[in-house]
């Protein structure tokens, strides 16, 4: 499930610019498959950051995730057209989006998701052996 669609994306970037970024055949129209590819790539990137903290896909996605998805999608579209001459502002917006995802992953930003939208559990990668005060130590006290 993608976090944005074409209509939502046009709230972040002008359709004329989308034509410039996707129209490989110079027919003057947006090539929807290029948009879909960029959106799916952005959604997958977001999910890779969130999968250990939240149940994905987020449904409905919080506004912050929609904003991040739009920013990464726009970056992906620019990357396919201007890989070697990427505008610095687009790079900065992408880096800011990734920074937000890192903060979400680390728990510095908490998504406003109700318990019914998330599993209510946090996945951890710690084992019994990682505990300083394990069961045997506590039982001996």
């Amino acid at each position: 499930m993608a976090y944005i669609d074409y209509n939502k994306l046009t709230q972040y970037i002008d359709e004329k610019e989308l034509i410039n970024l996707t129209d490989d055949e110079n027919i003057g129209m947006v090539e929807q498959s290029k948009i879909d590819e960029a959106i799916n790539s952005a959604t997958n990137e977001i999910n890779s950051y969130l999968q250990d903290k939240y149940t994905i896909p987020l449904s409905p996605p919080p506004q912050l995730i929609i904003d991040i998805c739009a920013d990464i999608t726009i970056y992906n579209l620019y990357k396919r057209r201007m890989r070697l001459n990427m505008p610095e502002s687009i790079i900065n917006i992408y880096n800011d989006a990734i920074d937000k995802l890192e903060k979400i992953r680390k728990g510095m930003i908490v998504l406003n998701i109700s318990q019914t939208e998330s599993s209510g559990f946090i996945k951890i990668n710690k084992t019994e052996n990682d505990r300083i005060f394990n069961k045997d130590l506590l039982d001996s006290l």
Side-chain angles (χ1 to χ4, degrees):
M1 179 189 120
Y3 294 125
I4 61 170
D5 58 15
Y6 177 78
N7 291 331
K8 183 63 83 171
L9 184 62
T10 59
Q11 295 175 9
Y12 294 85
I13 186 170
D14 185 66
E15 187 172 4
K16 185 175 181 180
E17 189 64 19
L18 289 173
I19 293 170
N20 290 335
L21 294 171
T22 63
D23 184 16
D24 295 343
E25 305 298 323
N26 292 321
I27 58 174
M29 294 177 58
V30 169
E31 191 171 330
Q32 188 63 44
S33 65
K34 303 292 188 224
I35 301 284
D36 293 341
E37 188 177 302
I39 289 171
N40 289 333
S41 178
T43 299
N44 290 337
E45 188 169 358
I46 291 167
N47 286 343
S48 73
Y49 281 90
L50 301 181
Q51 67 187 358
D52 292 336
K53 195 125 178 118
Y54 297 98
T55 300
I56 55 171
L58 302 175
S59 181
Q63 185 61 46
L64 178 60
I65 296 301
I66 293 170
D67 294 343
I68 290 171
C69 191
D71 290 344
I72 295 175
T73 299
I74 292 167
Y75 172 82
N76 289 340
L77 291 169
Y78 271 92
K79 183 174 69 173
R80 70 171 293 279
R81 178 69 82 191
M82 304 176 193
R83 184 177 292 275
L84 299 177
N85 196 17
M86 181 81 73
E88 191 168 334
S89 62
I90 299 298
I91 294 170
N92 290 339
I93 289 169
Y94 173 76
N95 289 336
D96 184 53
I98 296 303
D99 182 56
K100 288 176 185 170
L101 289 172
E102 283 287 345
K103 288 179 178 176
I104 293 169
R105 177 191 288 176
K106 293 177 183 176
M108 298 166 68
I109 297 175
V110 177
L111 297 178
N112 187 17
I113 299 176
S114 70
Q115 291 295 352
T116 58
E117 296 166 353
S118 178
S119 67
F121 296 99
I122 297 175
K123 295 179 183 178
I124 60 172
N125 61 357
K126 302 298 179 193
T127 65
E128 178 74 26
N129 295 334
D130 295 326
R131 293 183 178 177
I132 296 172
F133 297 104
N134 61 28
K135 183 173 178 2
D136 292 336
L137 179 63
L138 291 172
D139 286 344
S140 69
L141 297 177

